[in-house]
Amino acid sequence: MVSDQIAERHRLGLDRFDEIWDGEYHMNAAPHPRHSYLLRFLERYLDPLAEAVGLVALGEFNIGTPLDYRIPDAGYVRALPRETFVGTAELVIEMLSPGDATFDKLPFYAAHQVREVLVVNPATRTSRWLQLDTAGERYVDVHSSALLHVSADDISAHLPWEHLEP
C-alpha cells in the first residue's frame, strides 16, 4: 500500500521534496507560495554575497546518501557538485512552514558538517543564523554569518514581509 503511494507520487512528480531519514520515507508537500516568494527574494539578496566569497548557489538539493538525506530550501557550496547526493554544504537555508521539521534536521546537518544554517520564520518575521560549534557537534546562535558577513537582523530588515499580509 505505502509503496504504491510512493510510486504514484513519483509518477505524478509529487515527490520532489520527499526525504529519507535513516531509511524512513518522509512525504513533504510543496511549500506555500509565500514561502517560495520570500525564498527567491532572499536568494537574490544573498547570491552576490556568496559569489564574492567563492560560494556556489544551489536551490533545493540532497545532503546525505540515497537512503538517508535531507533537502534544504536552498544552500551554498564551495564547488558545483557532480553527484546527486552531496556530502556537505557551507550554508543551508531553511524557511519555516507551520509544522515542519526544520529543527529536527539540525543534528543531521551537524553530522554532515554544514557550517551555517539560516532559518527564516515568516510567522514571526525573524531570522536566525546558526553556526556549527568548534567541536562540530551542534549549532549555536550567532549574530551574523562568518561566511557572508551579514546579520540575522539585516536579513529580517531586508525581506518584504508586507507582501505576506492577507
Side-chain angles (χ1 to χ4, degrees):
M1 174 72 169
V2 171
S3 63
D4 291 342
Q5 185 179 19
I6 292 170
E8 183 67 1
R9 286 179 61 76
H10 182 71
R11 187 184 72 76
L12 296 172
L14 300 175
D15 60 344
R16 179 173 169 200
F17 299 99
D18 293 356
E19 300 171 327
I20 297 180
W21 294 35
D22 294 319
E24 181 179 300
Y25 197 87
H26 288 244
M27 294 181 204
N28 298 310
H32 188 284
R34 291 177 180 173
H35 171 121
S36 297
Y37 173 78
L38 280 179
L39 184 60
R40 289 180 52 84
F41 199 91
L42 178 61
E43 289 172 314
R44 286 193 303 267
Y45 179 68
L46 293 179
D47 284 357
L49 301 174
E51 288 173 17
V53 295
L55 298 180
V56 176
L58 301 175
E60 304 97 5
F61 64 104
N62 305 303
I63 294 180
T65 65
L67 294 178
D68 191 15
Y69 64 93
R70 310 297 182 272
I71 304 172
D73 291 312
Y76 297 90
V77 294
R78 286 278 166 210
L80 187 61
R82 293 178 184 260
E83 59 278 343
T84 301
F85 294 90
V86 178
T88 191
E90 294 297 312
L91 165 65
V92 298
I93 299 170
E94 290 286 354
M95 185 80 59
L96 292 181
S97 296
D100 78 9
T102 291
F103 291 102
D104 294 339
K105 292 181 180 183
L106 293 179
F108 181 88
Y109 288 154
H112 285 80
Q113 298 297 293
V114 174
R115 284 182 54 186
E116 293 185 5
V117 178
L118 173 59
V119 180
V120 178
N121 188 342
T124 61
R125 299 180 178 199
T126 58
S127 303
R128 288 175 63 187
W129 279 108
L130 304 173
Q131 187 174 27
L132 198 58
D133 68 6
T134 55
E137 296 175 353
R138 64 182 185 86
Y139 289 98
V140 294
D141 281 286
V142 293
H143 180 260
S144 63
S145 168
L147 293 166
L148 304 184
H149 310 290
V150 62
S151 73
D153 293 339
D154 292 336
I155 297 295
S156 294
H158 186 76
L159 289 173
W161 304 113
E162 67 277 6
H163 294 288
L164 301 184
E165 299 300 325

